[in-house]
Amino acid sequence: MSDLVQLTKDNDIAIITINNPPVNALSPGVPEGISDAIEQIGKDPSVEAAVLIGGGTTFVAGADIKEFGKITSGTAKRGVAFVPMLLRIEDCPKPIVMAIHGQAFGGGLELAMAGHYRVAVPAAKVGQPEVKLGIIPGAAGTQRLPRLAGVAKAVEMCADGNPVSAKEALKYSIVDKLIEGDLLNGAVAFAREVAGKPAPKTRERNEKLGTPDANAPIFAAARDAAHKKARGMMAPLAAISAVEAATKLPFDQGVEAEQKLFVECLFSDQSKAMIHVFFGEREVGKIPDVPKDTPLIPVNTVAVVGAGTMGGGITMSFANAAIPVLMKETDQAALDKGMSTIRKNYETSVKRGRFTPEFVEERLKLITPTLSYDGFEKADMVVEAVFEGMALKKEVFGELDRLCKPGAIMASNTSTLNIDDIAKATRRPEAVIGTHFFSPANVMRLLEIVRGKASSKEVIATCMQLSKKIGKIGVLVGNCRGFVGNRMFGPYRREAQFLAEEGASVEAVDRALYDYGMAMGPMAVGDLAGLDVGWRIRKEYKHLEKPGARQPIAEDKLCEMGRYGQKTGAGWYKYDENRRAIPDPEVARLLSQWAAEAGIKQRQISREEIVDRCIYALVNEGARILEEGYALRAVDIDIIYLNGYGFPAYRGGPMWYADTVGLQKVYDRIREFHAQHGFWWEPAPLLKRLADEGKKFADFDKQKAAGA
Ligand code: 3H9
C-alpha cells in the first residue's frame, strides 16, 4: 500500500483514506494505492462494504496537474492507468461508497462515479473543470456522467467546466444522499445499509442516455454556446463530442473515443497555455520578499472616496464580500447618481440571475453614502477614487492622513499617477499603496497592486489577501507610468492606430485581433473607454514626447471633431441607439486624407502584420518592464493581460504566447519592424538576450525563482 492511501476498518466496513495534501490530487502512487486497497477488500471475507474518503479538507481535486507538463514534455510517461483502476473499483463485488467533502473535481469526480454509491456533505462541490485547463475529462468522466446525470447536464458540466453544489448533484443523481453531521460516520452507516446488496455499476446504467432525436438538439445547442462562450477553444467542443460518443457507442468504445480526444487536447498548445495560467494565478500571490507569515491588517470596514464609475464599482466589490463601506462624494447630486448606478447594476445582476434579491438587499445595507468624512476615522482601509489629477489626489491624501487611524491602509485607485508622489502628501508613506481596479470594478477580476517605495510588507500582504476576499486576482506591480497593464497597452493601441493610418481599415484591425482571440479589437476598446481619456493624457504629457518619434495622429483628430467614442455616438465607428458599432466610411476617407497630409503612404496590410505589430508591441514593452523589475515575473504580466485586457486564456498571455512562437522569431520580426518603422521598435535588451541564449521568458521566471 502506498503512503498516500491508507486502508483501515470499522468492523465490517473497510475505510480507504487518500492522504495527499493539499488537495488529494491523484499523483503517482495514489491510483496504485487505491487499486491495492480494492484488491485487499475483495479478498477480505470480514469486509462487507467500503467507504472511500479524502483526508484533510477535500475529497479529490483531480489528476495531478503538474504531471501533465511532464507527460507532454516527455519527462514522464502517461503510465498512470486511471481507467483500469476505476474499472477495478466498479467491478468490486462489495459496494464501495464514495464520501465527498470539499471538492470532487475532474479525476476526483471520475473516481467517485466509479464507486457504487456517492454520499456528500451539503457544502461539497462536484465538477468536471478540465476544459478550464484546455483538456477534457480523461478517465471516463464523459461516459459515466451522462449515465448518472443525463445527457444535457453532463454536456453542460463537461463543456462549461463549472462545478455544481451537492444539492444540485443530488437532484441530478450524481450523488445518492447528503450527509448532515460527520461525513465518515454517515458514510459508514450508509455502507452498512447497502452491504450485501448488488453493487450497481455506473457504466451499465444506460437508461439516461436518451435517443438520437432527443439528443441532437442538446448537442447542437451546446456547440453553439461553446462557439460563443469559448470562442477559439478546442476543449469544450471536444468535451461535447466525447459525451456524444457516450450516447452512440458502447461504454468501452466511448472511453476509447474520449481518450483520443483527451490526448489531442493534452498535447495542444491551448492546454499547455491554460495549465500555465492555472499555476500562474497561484504564483502571482507569492512575493519573494513578503513572506507567507507576514502579519495581516484586519480589514473589517472600508471607506471609498468618490462615487463615480470607479468609486461605485469599488464600493460594490467590498460590499459583495460582506465588508461594510462608506462611500463619499462632494455633492448630493453626484452621490445620488453614484447610488442609483449601484442600484441599477445590482438590478441587472438580479435579472441575469447572478444575485438573489435578498443578497442585493443585504449588500445595499452595507453601503453608507456620505458627503462628509465622518466615520473615516474608524475605517481599516480607505480607497481613493477621485478624478485623476495629482493636485486633487494630494489634497485628498493630506486630508486622509489627518483623519485615518494609525495602521489604516491608504490606497489610491490611480491608473497613471506616481504613487510615491501621492504618498508624499502624508506623514505615513508606509501606509500608502496603489489599488488599480479595472472598469467595471465590480466585475473585472484584475487588481494591480502598486507598490510604492515605502509601502510596508504588511500593507502589501493585506492587499494581496484582500484581493482574493473580494473575488479579484491581485498582481503586485512596480510604480512606473501606466504600471504594467496600461504601460503595455499604450504601444499596443499605438500600433493599431499606425496600422489604420498606413491603410488597414478600422474594421480589419479589429477583426484581426478579435480573430486572434482578444475579447474586443483595439479600436472598439478605445471607443468603449472614451478616446478623450488618452487625448487629455497626451495633451498633459506632451512635454514628455520623444523628439522625432512618430506619434499617432488619427485619434487626436477624431477627438477634435468631438468623436470621443460610444458616449458621443461616434469615434472610430458610428454607433446606433443600442450602441452597436457601424463601420463609418467617413473615417476611412479621413484616414486617407490625414495620412496624405502627414506624408504616410497607404498600402495593403495583411492580417498577419496587424497581429504581429500589435501583439509584439505588447511583448517588447513587457520585456522592458520585466527587465526593469516593474513586474516580478513574466507570468505576472500574462495574468494581468488575461484578467484585465481580454487576452485569450488559451494563448496563455502575451509573454507565454511569445515563448510558444519562439523568442528568436519574435526578436527577428521586431528587428524587421525596427528597420521599417524606427524608434518605437528598438528591441528590448532582455528579449535580445533571451533570444541569443535560445531561452524563453519562462526560463527567466525559473531563474528568478531559483534566486539567480
Ligand atoms: C483532471 O482531473 C483530469 C482527469 O480527467 C484525469 C485524466 C487522466 N493538481 O487553488 P489553491 C495545488 S485535471 C496539482 O490555491 P484553493 C495548487 O497549485 C484536474 N496541484 O487552493 C496550490 O499549490 P500551491 C481537474 C493542485 O483552496 C494548492 O494545490 N481538477 C491541484 O483556493 C492549493 O490550491 C481541477 O482542475 C491539482 N489538481 O482551491 C481542480 N489542485 O500552494 C483544480 C490544486 O503550491 N484545483 N493544486 O500554489 C482547484 O480548482 C482548486 O485548487 C481547489 C482548491 C478548488 C481544489
Side-chain angles (χ1 to χ4, degrees):
M1 179 89 32
S2 110
D3 292 347
L4 303 169
V5 180
Q6 283 85 44
L7 181 60
T8 53
K9 270 172 68 180
D10 178 339
N11 297 309
D12 52 339
I13 306 297
I15 299 164
I16 307 168
T17 308
I18 302 173
N19 268 311
N20 184 23
V23 294
N24 291 330
L26 298 168
S27 317
V30 176
E32 294 82 348
I34 298 173
S35 278
D36 288 352
I38 296 292
E39 202 183 322
Q40 290 190 35
I41 289 165
K43 285 195 288 204
D44 186 340
S46 69
V47 171
E48 296 289 336
V51 168
L52 189 152
I53 194 165
T57 55
T58 197
F59 180 70
V60 170
D64 187 337
I65 302 169
K66 287 192 289 296
E67 291 299 307
F68 293 142
K70 295 183 200 160
I71 295 166
T72 50
S73 64
T75 53
K77 274 208 203 124
R78 193 174 167 243
V80 193
F82 285 121
V83 174
M85 183 266 289
L86 299 182
L87 289 175
R88 236 165 272 144
I89 296 174
E90 208 169 34
D91 288 338
C92 181
K94 299 171 188 176
I96 314 284
V97 178
M98 301 290 178
I100 303 168
H101 68 312
Q103 294 88 17
F105 281 179
L109 180 54
E110 292 172 304
L111 169 67
M113 291 191 294
H116 305 109
Y117 300 96
R118 285 147 296 280
V119 298
V121 297
K125 286 195 169 155
V126 308
Q128 298 287 174
E130 286 87 343
V131 288
K132 300 193 184 207
L133 300 168
I135 54 174
I136 67 165
T142 59
Q143 308 302 299
R144 285 196 177 89
L145 191 54
R147 288 175 158 85
L148 290 179
V151 175
K153 192 67 188 168
V155 170
E156 180 194 310
M157 286 174 67
C158 293
D160 291 354
N162 295 327
V164 301
S165 66
K167 204 168 142 204
E168 200 173 347
L170 179 70
K171 181 174 152 200
Y172 284 96
S173 311
I174 303 168
V175 304
D176 302 291
K177 189 178 178 184
L178 297 190
I179 305 274
E180 304 281 349
D182 186 78
L183 175 64
L184 182 58
N185 285 343
V188 168
F190 185 92
R192 283 210 173 95
E193 275 173 38
V194 294
K197 295 187 185 150
K201 297 180 187 181
T202 306
R203 72 174 189 271
E204 290 175 357
R205 295 167 62 174
N206 294 339
E207 65 279 7
K208 288 194 179 168
L209 291 179
T211 61
D213 279 354
N215 289 336
I218 297 174
F219 292 118
R223 288 194 169 98
D224 201 34
H227 281 299
K228 286 193 190 115
K229 282 194 283 190
R231 184 168 52 91
M233 279 182 57
M234 61 191 278
L237 294 170
I240 296 164
S241 296
V243 177
E244 194 172 30
T247 66
K248 293 190 168 159
L249 300 169
F251 180 82
D252 292 351
Q253 289 175 31
V255 171
E256 270 174 40
E258 178 199 81
Q259 291 299 298
K260 202 167 157 274
L261 289 160
F262 172 81
V263 171
E264 271 171 29
C265 288
L266 181 65
F267 281 85
S268 68
D269 281 344
Q270 292 198 356
S271 151
K272 289 174 199 157
M274 292 179 81
I275 289 173
H276 159 73
V277 174
F278 175 84
F279 287 114
E281 287 198 348
R282 282 144 186 92
E283 191 67 16
V284 294
K286 296 167 189 157
I287 317 293
D289 69 330
V290 180
K292 247 184 165 175
D293 56 0
T294 304
L296 297 175
I297 300 162
V299 177
N300 298 316
T301 59
V302 170
V304 174
V305 191
T309 314
M310 291 312 289
I314 295 168
T315 298
M316 288 176 76
S317 300
F318 286 109
N320 290 345
I323 300 173
V325 206
L326 271 178
M327 183 177 78
K328 183 191 174 293
E329 250 308 337
T330 42
D331 70 84
Q332 192 65 50
L335 190 62
D336 291 346
K337 191 167 171 230
M339 275 313 289
S340 104
T341 307
I342 289 179
R343 276 199 201 93
K344 235 189 277 154
N345 287 341
Y346 274 133
E347 274 162 26
T348 311
S349 299
V350 171
K351 265 190 219 139
R352 292 193 181 148
R354 200 172 148 227
F355 295 145
T356 62
E358 298 75 37
F359 177 90
V360 165
E361 257 333 289
E362 274 168 33
R363 303 304 119 171
L364 281 169
K365 275 190 210 141
L366 292 171
I367 302 173
T368 311
T370 175
L371 290 174
S372 78
Y373 278 114
D374 289 351
F376 271 57
E377 69 286 354
K378 293 198 193 103
D380 300 311
M381 175 172 184
V382 179
V383 184
E384 163 279 310
V386 300
F387 192 75
E388 196 76 348
M390 185 53 93
L392 178 62
K393 302 252 178 200
K394 282 193 158 180
E395 193 187 311
V396 171
F397 271 78
E399 189 69 12
L400 292 175
D401 189 31
R402 213 171 48 74
L403 291 165
C404 290
K405 67 182 178 189
I409 298 172
M410 294 162 63
S412 171
N413 180 51
T414 181
S415 53
T416 49
L417 301 173
N418 186 325
I419 205 77
D420 291 328
D421 287 347
I422 295 176
K424 278 186 202 143
T426 75
R427 287 157 300 167
R428 39 177 149 171
E430 70 285 356
V432 178
I433 194 159
T435 47
H436 179 208
F437 288 80
F438 287 70
S439 186
N442 53 314
V443 176
M444 295 292 285
R445 253 186 109 208
L446 178 63
L447 181 62
E448 275 187 331
I449 297 176
V450 190
R451 182 179 197 158
K453 252 194 223 115
S455 308
S456 77
K457 291 185 182 176
E458 289 78 6
V459 167
I460 294 169
T462 304
C463 289
M464 292 301 291
Q465 197 242 15
L466 194 63
S467 61
K468 252 195 204 160
K469 192 166 174 193
I470 61 172
K472 312 265 175 236
I473 179 145
V475 184
L476 191 71
V477 298
N479 178 28
C480 58
R481 205 170 138 218
F483 312 129
V484 170
N486 284 347
R487 177 169 157 186
M488 288 166 65
F489 208 53
Y492 170 80
R493 290 208 65 254
R494 182 194 66 222
E495 285 308 310
Q497 285 192 66
F498 282 167
L499 286 156
E501 290 166 10
E502 288 166 31
S505 72
V506 170
E507 302 81 77
V509 173
D510 272 356
R511 171 53 66 180
L513 287 148
Y514 181 80
D515 288 348
Y516 172 82
M518 300 298 289
M520 283 173 97
M523 310 315 221
V525 168
D527 276 358
L528 177 69
L531 302 180
D532 54 321
V533 180
W535 182 44
R536 276 183 235 285
I537 295 173
R538 280 190 295 279
K539 278 199 280 193
E540 194 176 330
Y541 290 99
K542 199 105 197 136
H543 59 286
L544 294 181
E545 268 176 18
K546 303 272 183 296
R550 175 180 166 191
Q551 298 297 336
I553 44 177
E555 216 158 88
D556 288 355
K557 286 190 184 287
L558 288 171
C559 285
E560 282 158 20
M561 296 167 69
R563 297 183 69 126
Y564 292 176
Q566 288 196 20
K567 59 182 162 191
T568 56
W572 288 104
Y573 294 91
K574 278 190 296 197
Y575 291 88
D576 66 14
E577 58 284 2
N578 298 318
R579 291 206 169 191
R580 234 190 339 247
I582 304 159
D584 190 349
E586 177 62 5
V587 171
R589 192 193 62 74
L590 285 167
L591 279 166
S592 303
Q593 183 193 317
W594 294 333
E597 284 164 9
I600 299 164
K601 203 164 167 274
Q602 291 206 316
R603 61 192 167 90
Q604 281 280 336
I605 296 178
S606 69
R607 287 158 68 96
E608 190 201 0
E609 180 177 343
I610 294 171
V611 170
D612 285 358
R613 277 188 50 194
C614 292
I615 301 295
Y616 292 168
L618 285 177
V619 174
N620 204 30
E621 194 64 26
R624 282 186 210 286
I625 288 174
L626 203 54
E627 188 158 37
E628 292 164 15
Y630 292 111
L632 280 170
R633 292 152 290 231
V635 68
D636 291 41
I637 297 177
D638 287 336
I639 298 302
I640 287 174
Y641 261 75
L642 298 171
N643 291 287
Y645 295 84
F647 203 93
Y650 64 82
R651 295 200 190 268
M655 310 313 271
W656 179 266
Y657 170 72
D659 276 355
T660 58
V661 172
L663 294 192
Q664 185 63 52
K665 234 170 131 184
V666 174
Y667 173 63
D668 288 346
R669 188 79 164 134
I670 286 178
R671 277 186 23 204
E672 212 180 291
F673 293 148
H674 191 209
Q676 288 161 5
H677 304 285
F679 181 80
W680 295 113
W681 283 103
E682 175 83 42
L686 175 65
L687 177 64
K688 177 181 182 331
R689 177 158 63 78
L690 292 173
D692 286 350
E693 292 171 1
K695 289 196 173 138
K696 299 176 169 195
F697 288 119
D699 296 315
F700 176 90
D701 282 4
K702 272 188 217 143
Q703 270 177 353
K704 209 160 170 205

